[in-house]
Amino acid sequence: MRFRHPDGSTVHLSYCTNVHPAETFEGVLAQLRDHCEPVRRRLGRDRLGIGLWLAKDAARTLVTDPSALRALRTELDLRGLEVVTLNGFPYEGFGAEEVKYRVYKPDWADPERLEHTTALARLLAGLLPDDVTEGSISTLPLAWRTATDPERDETARTALRTLAERLDALEDLTGRSIRIGLEPEPGCVVETTADAIAPLTKIDHPRVGICVDTCHLATSFEDPHTALDALTAARVPVVKSQLSAALHAEQPHLPEVREALAAFDEPRFLHQTRTATAAGLRGTDDLGEALGGDLLPDASPWRAHFHVPLHAAPAEPLTSTLPVLRTVLTRLVGGPVPLTRHLEVETYTWQALPPELRPRAKAQLADGIAAELTLARDLLTDLGLKELP
């Protein structure tokens, strides 16, 4: 979906296909047919943007077989879909029964991460619509915090500098400008937007910036205005923003709140949980750890890294951090000039919701994603952007 900003530029809204895990090229084609096109039809649009997730095996097929890339481009056009952004964070196995810490491998100190992201950039340059010259890729925020040391940190920064040089060369070759955005996430080396400023300043390249995920920002209790002011002051580009909402518990000390939270403690993904205290941010790696003992103070609200549907906050006594998303979006695209032009709804946890909230069929999932995009579209038009055909 495309929108005209009051300054005349085009802002792109998509939804991320990591909600439909597929490891192979054939699986990606099936996603387009079974999920993405039905969402577009529900929205009544001739064109729908998707933030494509290409796992390792799918990416390798597309890089090594030019006919496969042509076939994917043809399939996108046939189904009324377009791609201006990729989710390059998960490498493989995102649809496994247990993902947890595996999603952070390989990290940016591992040569495989550089080679995979380089491949994604080349593919994106070939997938961009004919009238679009800028693409974006979100990626791992360097590494999980326990998998790092000064030497690995410098290796990661060197890899990102190498990637930036390759992206320069790619633009010279294709005329397409691809940028990469580190996506801060709780528990990682770069957990917050503030954590991103130092490494990105050291890399110091306009093609390497930040992806602001509004669930992650809210989970870490970052103030949106403070965060975006600091990024602007440091001249860190917001390459893209993922529109998502975290799980919020206002009174985690109450038994009924603990019971409600427990329904979201599931085995596939990590749900890092945080609370803001007078002594600073406190947290656990997973929701179960927070619920299972005294590791996390419960005198103040808890937030958990669980991407809940944008249009459907959990039932009381829980809610979501949708107000944080609204504030971030207002700052990103509500001013005289957009701070980013790539927005992506990223609720990948539909099948991890409590059983009674999960979609039971493809049609229900398509309905839910369409409802999320409708909410995002309404937020954008309320900010003065005009939806384009």
Side-chain angles (χ1 to χ4, degrees), residues 9-353:
S9 63
T10 300
V11 173
H12 295 267
L13 172 66
S14 61
Y15 89 89
C16 187
T17 64
N18 62 354
V19 65
H20 318 300
E23 300 290 318
T24 65
F25 168 66
E26 292 77 15
V28 171
L29 295 183
Q31 286 178 345
L32 306 185
R33 179 192 66 228
D34 296 342
H35 299 288
C36 302
E37 184 178 11
V39 171
R40 178 183 65 77
R41 292 186 181 279
R42 279 162 172 76
L43 291 167
R45 307 302 299 163
D46 293 332
R47 174 173 54 190
L48 175 66
I50 57 171
L52 202 57
W53 173 59
L54 297 173
K56 172 193 68 173
D57 290 344
R60 286 181 180 173
T61 297
L62 289 163
V63 165
T64 58
D65 184 356
S67 66
L69 183 59
R70 289 194 297 270
L72 177 56
R73 178 67 185 268
T74 298
E75 195 74 6
L76 289 166
D77 293 341
L78 177 68
R79 302 195 181 281
L81 306 169
E82 65 178 14
V83 176
V84 303
T85 188
L86 300 180
N87 186 331
F89 196 137
Y91 181 67
E92 62 182 337
F94 202 60
E97 291 185 2
E98 182 177 329
V99 178
K100 298 289 185 182
Y101 295 95
R102 292 168 52 191
V103 76
Y104 307 106
K105 292 292 186 177
D107 62 36
W108 272 101
D110 189 322
E112 287 184 36
R113 176 62 66 173
L114 172 60
E115 296 312 314
H116 176 62
T117 311
T118 300
L120 293 180
R122 291 171 178 161
L123 294 173
L124 182 55
L127 292 174
L128 287 177
D130 292 339
D131 62 343
V132 175
T133 59
E134 295 182 358
S136 62
I137 303 172
S138 48
T139 190
L140 177 78
L142 299 183
W144 184 252
R145 68 179 186 281
T146 59
T148 189
D149 56 49
E151 182 178 352
R152 288 181 65 83
D153 286 350
E154 182 54 37
T155 300
R157 287 192 293 269
T158 299
L160 283 164
R161 292 188 191 102
T162 299
L163 176 67
E165 294 169 359
R166 293 177 179 180
L167 296 179
D168 285 339
L170 183 64
E171 183 174 16
D172 290 341
L173 180 66
T174 67
R176 305 295 179 88
S177 175
I178 309 299
R179 296 191 299 166
I180 190 84
L182 300 185
E183 181 186 334
E185 177 166 317
C188 292
V189 172
V190 175
E191 171 158 340
T192 66
T193 57
D195 294 335
I197 290 174
L200 290 175
T201 301
K202 288 179 180 178
I203 294 166
D204 191 25
H205 197 290
R207 295 199 191 276
V208 184
I210 193 169
C211 168
V212 175
D213 184 300
T214 57
C215 169
H216 301 173
L217 183 142
T219 300
S220 294
F221 286 87
E222 288 195 78
D223 175 72
H225 298 292
T226 302
L228 292 171
D229 284 347
L231 292 174
T232 300
R235 298 186 179 180
V236 172
V238 181
V239 172
K240 66 185 280 190
S241 180
Q242 289 173 325
L243 307 182
S244 52
L247 190 63
H248 180 95
E250 186 67 20
Q251 297 180 297
H253 64 283
L254 297 178
E256 59 269 29
V257 176
R258 295 291 187 107
E259 182 180 356
L261 283 169
F264 288 84
D265 179 27
E266 55 82 39
R268 179 178 293 182
F269 302 111
L270 277 185
H271 300 297
Q272 302 93 315
T273 304
R274 299 288 186 266
T275 188
T277 73
L281 200 65
R282 294 280 301 276
T284 59
D285 283 356
D286 215 346
L287 180 57
E289 297 174 26
L291 293 170
D294 299 323
L295 295 177
L296 201 60
D298 60 7
S300 299
W302 286 4
R303 289 177 179 173
H305 172 216
F306 194 117
H307 291 221
V308 296
L310 301 186
H311 67 293
E316 292 184 352
L318 305 178
T319 187
S320 81
T321 60
L322 183 62
V324 175
L325 184 159
R326 292 177 185 269
T327 301
V328 172
L329 194 60
T330 300
R331 284 294 308 272
L332 289 176
V333 300
V337 177
L339 300 183
T340 187
R341 290 187 292 274
H342 291 178
L343 305 171
E344 177 184 68
V345 170
E346 198 217 10
T347 305
Y348 60 83
T349 43
W350 281 93
Q351 298 302 338
L353 289 166

